Each structure stands twice: as structure tokens, then as C-alpha cells.
Amino acid sequence: MKIFSTLVLCALVWGGPTAAADPEKPWSVGVDLTGAEETDFDDIPGDLSTGRTRLRLDRRLGDQEHRWIFRAAYEGSSYDFGDGQFGGSDQFDTNELALGGVYAATPEDGHTWFVVVNALSGTDDEASFGDGGYGRFGGGVAFKVNPKLRLGFAVVATTLLEEDPDVTAAPLVDWRINEKHRIGFVRSADPSIGYTYLWNDPLDLYVSLNRDLRQFRIDEDTLDDAAFVDDERSLRVGLIWTPNPTFRGELFVGAAQRTLELDVDDDEVASEDLDAGGIGGISATINF
């Protein structure tokens, strides 16, 4: 679950659906419903469709110079393999819980630095919650080039259940071209990099590139020391509606390409690509 990936934490720090809320409303609750249409595997018989439900709770503290953002989130996913050709089961249900926080400091010079610490657990429906634990840690810096442009970089490390830690470094950009056009961080419920068009006061349109890496511990009675990994890359077109400081709604459609992996005893034993297919989602956030 992309709770505090590089792009998420930066969007939260620089003004996402949580940070952009009214300072008198420091809490946010939200629900996200997403789905991927049935698509075929590239090299083996079978197909897959996926549905997800995510619940999130955010708390913001601090001021413009020193900011804390805490998040608790749960995501449930259902993988429907159709004829059961992959994994030997028609349906595979998973759960993921994430708890974490981001601290950001912006001194008077306008530059920003931040750190992130997160604890997560991903399991299938039968595995023990404690067996799916892993961590995500990182930080970065952004430099104010001028009032409309900030550039920087971030590094995030994720411990993997059955492989070596994954370390990702990414450049950061936030370019406010003018009052209508923006390139950089898309302030959606699932923040990412892309282009935003500020249509009018309550409506924003965006095009974004997203990557979500999920991993789940498989019950030891099914397969010992094993983890299921879902690596998704997508292109999305969305609409964000913010009629008032209390409510925020979002709708998106797009296309995704995914790779599923099976890791056993610190080794990758299977990797299968899916054909590109349609995805869509709807989100609602309430600030209070």
C-alpha cells in the first residue's frame, strides 16, 4: 500500500488532501475504493481482477516551519484469479495495516527537509498479523529556487519480507507555472507525480504516473517463509472536487501494468506479468 512512499510523503509535506486542509480542522478521515478490470497473464493461462478498500485517519500538528503528520490506514484487497490457474485458488484476500509519521521543517529561507518512519504489516487472510511486519524509512530535502519552483531529492528504504531491502531515490519537483497549471506533485488521495489543471475554485483535473508496491505474508500452513508481491505501475486521469474545507471528493480512471511475484525463503521463485488493463477509483475525505 502506498501509504508513505516517496511521492506520498512529499505530497503530504507540501500540501496534499491532508496538509491542504483548514488549519482549524487538524483531523481527516477518508475512504478509497479502487478496482482493476480482468486482464490476462502474459505467459501462463489465467486472468486476474482486483478490488481494494482503504480506510485512513490523519492527524496534523505544528505550523508552517515545523510540521508533523501522523497516519493510520487499513487496506483490504481481493484478488480474483478466475479459473484458478495462478496460485491454485480462485480468490486470494489480503489485509494491510500501516502506522507512520512524517516530520518536515521549513526554515525562513524557504528550503524544506523531512524524515519519515513507518511500520506496516501485510498478510493474507490466514496468516498471523505479526508475521507480515516490515518498515519504511527515509527523508529528503527540497530547495526553493524561486517563489514558483522547488527542486530536491528523496531517499526511501523499504524492508522486504523475503528479499533484501529496496532503496529508492527520486528527484522532487514542484513547479507552479501559473495560477492554472502545475507540474510536480498531484494533490490526490493517492499522491503522485504529474500535471494538474486548476479548472476553477472547487475543481482540479490531473494526469499522473503512479507506482504501488504491495507485499503480503502467506500463511505458513499454505507455504512456509513465503510472500506475495504486487508491483503496479499506472497512468491516471482524475478529477478532484473540494466544495468546502470540510469535504473532498475524487474520481479517476486509467490503465495499469502489473507484475506478481512469489518470494520463498529469501529468493524470488516466480514472476508473472499481466497485460495492461483498465483501473478506476473513487475517494472521499472529511476534515474536522
Side-chain angles (χ1 to χ4, degrees), residues 180-259:
K180 291 289 187 180
H181 304 276
R182 185 175 199 149
I183 293 175
F185 298 103
V186 175
R187 273 75 171 164
S188 64
D190 196 9
S192 57
I193 195 79
Y195 163 77
T196 302
Y197 174 68
L198 308 179
W199 193 354
N200 53 38
D201 284 342
L203 288 176
D204 294 349
L205 299 176
Y206 69 83
V207 179
S208 69
L209 296 172
N210 294 61
R211 183 181 180 224
D212 296 306
L213 180 64
R214 298 172 172 88
Q215 55 179 336
F216 308 102
R217 173 66 68 192
I218 298 175
D219 179 42
E220 62 181 11
D221 292 336
T222 302
L223 190 60
D224 198 22
D225 293 331
F228 171 73
V229 181
D230 181 355
D231 188 357
E232 177 184 296
R233 299 158 298 281
S234 63
L235 173 67
R236 302 180 182 185
V237 178
L239 172 68
I240 300 172
W241 180 49
T242 312
N244 54 60
T246 300
F247 179 79
R248 181 186 183 98
E250 181 179 347
L251 176 70
F252 79 85
V253 296
Q257 198 283 322
R258 297 161 64 188
T259 300

Side-chain angles (χ1 to χ4, degrees), residues 21 33 74 89 182 236 268 286:
L33 304 176
Y74 165 80
S89 175
R182 185 175 199 149
R236 302 180 182 185
E268 178 187 303
I286 295 176

Side-chain angles (χ1 to χ4, degrees), residues 66-88:
H66 303 279
R67 300 182 297 285
W68 291 90
I69 304 172
F70 300 98
R71 170 170 286 193
Y74 165 80
E75 183 178 78
S77 301
S78 179
Y79 294 81
D80 187 347
F81 289 98
D83 56 14
Q85 292 295 318
F86 188 86

